[in-house]
Amino acid sequence: LITIALIMGSTLPVYSAVGNDKSAAYVQDAQEQIKKGDLKAAIIQFKNAVVAEPKNPDNRIGLADLYLQTGNAPSAEKEFQKALDLGADKSKVMIGLSKARLMQRQYRTVLDTLKVEEVSKEDAGEAYLITGNAHHGLQDLDKALEFYDLGEKANGKNDRLSVAIAQIHFYKKDTEKAEAKVDEALGFNPKNVNGLILKGDIVNLNKGPKESISYYQQAVQYEPKNLAALFKVSSVLYDLKRSDE
């Protein structure tokens, strides 16, 4: 399963005011709301910006980015596509549009439309990660690993690429390589929830539930609504209760 957290980064988008005076005021306020962490209010203001200046593609991109951050992939896809229709440069749109499609499991569409040469050099690693995730979604693990490796070569290693590679090794039952890679990921970012869950799975497999629960609990601490982490904690607690009986 490819989760939103693996697709998305943890950095919230920040925008400068764009467009005419009408929409610029809305965008400025949206930026302030983003800084406060109030994405719902920021979305409302970007919607106002789009109404004020409907043919401004940058406002569409800003709204789409926020939809992505809140997990509303269909709306994000719609706004990214509208931005393209309004003449936005593909280098500004294709990463976000492909993430939105990936979240909707449109794996084949991602592979057919995302071209690394159409994104900025800085985004090449992200493009390879998304492409790898699409192959992963189609159960082509070898192809996925190939693109994850290209991602590391393009822009260097990061926690999300390392977790993605670790997952492939885990699914191939190479827990030694998987653990090395997930440890690398957690070295980059100790709060990577997918990494913590995978680390817990590996420890659970090798050492049992008692040793693994702390990783799942950390994952819940960082993302209290993460269903996978919550399920893992409940499952391990059940196993530990049974072993005590």
Side-chain angles (χ1 to χ4, degrees):
L1 177 64
I2 299 172
T3 65
I4 291 174
L6 184 56
I7 299 168
M8 302 300 300
S10 58
T11 304
L12 294 175
V14 178
Y15 307 94
S16 57
V18 294
N20 62 30
D21 290 340
K22 291 181 180 179
S23 67
Y26 293 124
V27 173
Q28 284 180 324
D29 190 63
Q31 182 173 336
E32 291 302 313
Q33 300 303 325
I34 290 169
K35 290 178 181 178
K36 296 176 183 177
D38 190 345
L39 299 190
K40 184 177 180 180
I43 286 172
I44 291 172
Q45 291 300 76
F46 259 111
K47 283 183 176 179
N48 289 333
V50 166
V51 171
E53 197 177 2
K55 293 186 178 181
N56 185 322
D58 291 323
N59 291 343
R60 300 278 181 177
I61 293 171
L63 179 57
D65 281 336
L66 289 169
Y67 279 139
L68 269 187
Q69 291 290 338
T70 55
N72 188 345
S75 294
E77 181 183 14
K78 177 183 175 182
E79 294 300 332
F80 280 128
Q81 187 61 59
K82 186 64 176 179
L84 278 179
D85 295 342
L86 290 169
D89 193 295
K90 281 190 173 183
S91 65
K92 294 182 177 181
V93 176
M94 289 311 299
I95 291 293
L97 178 57
S98 299
K99 286 179 178 179
R101 289 169 171 167
L102 193 66
M103 289 164 66
Q104 298 173 85
R105 302 185 181 184
Q106 298 176 19
Y107 305 129
R108 185 58 60 187
T109 301
V110 171
L111 296 179
D112 289 342
T113 58
L114 179 59
K115 311 297 179 186
V116 70
E117 60 270 17
E118 293 180 345
V119 306
S120 67
K121 185 177 180 180
E122 293 76 17
D123 284 335
E126 191 74 12
Y128 285 128
L129 172 61
I130 294 168
T131 303
N133 284 345
H135 283 295
H136 189 171
L138 293 171
Q139 303 302 312
D140 191 343
L141 302 186
D142 291 331
K143 203 70 175 177
L145 187 58
E146 176 185 330
F147 278 92
Y148 295 150
D149 287 338
L150 286 171
E152 289 193 328
K153 292 174 183 176
N155 294 124
K157 296 179 179 181
N158 62 56
D159 59 306
R160 288 184 300 133
L161 273 167
S162 295
V163 170
I165 293 170
Q167 287 181 335
I168 297 296
H169 291 313
F170 185 71
Y171 295 148
K172 288 187 169 188
K173 303 188 185 302
D174 190 338
T175 56
E176 185 175 342
K177 283 185 179 180
E179 186 162 29
K181 205 65 183 175
V182 79
D183 286 345
E184 178 182 82
L186 294 174
F188 292 136
N189 178 14
K191 296 182 179 182
N192 186 304
V193 169
N194 286 304
L196 288 166
I197 293 172
L198 181 56
K199 177 69 175 184
D201 288 344
I202 295 168
V203 172
N204 195 0
L205 185 65
N206 291 333
K207 299 180 181 180
K210 188 174 182 179
E211 300 295 326
S212 69
I213 192 169
S214 64
Y215 295 103
Y216 300 137
Q217 289 173 330
Q218 286 180 67
V220 172
Q221 178 185 344
Y222 298 134
E223 286 187 20
K225 295 182 180 180
N226 188 296
L227 295 179
L230 289 167
F231 174 79
K232 296 287 184 178
V233 170
S234 298
S235 178
V236 168
L237 288 174
Y238 178 75
D239 288 342
L240 289 173
K241 183 178 178 180
R242 286 185 61 190
S243 66
D244 289 340
E245 290 177 352

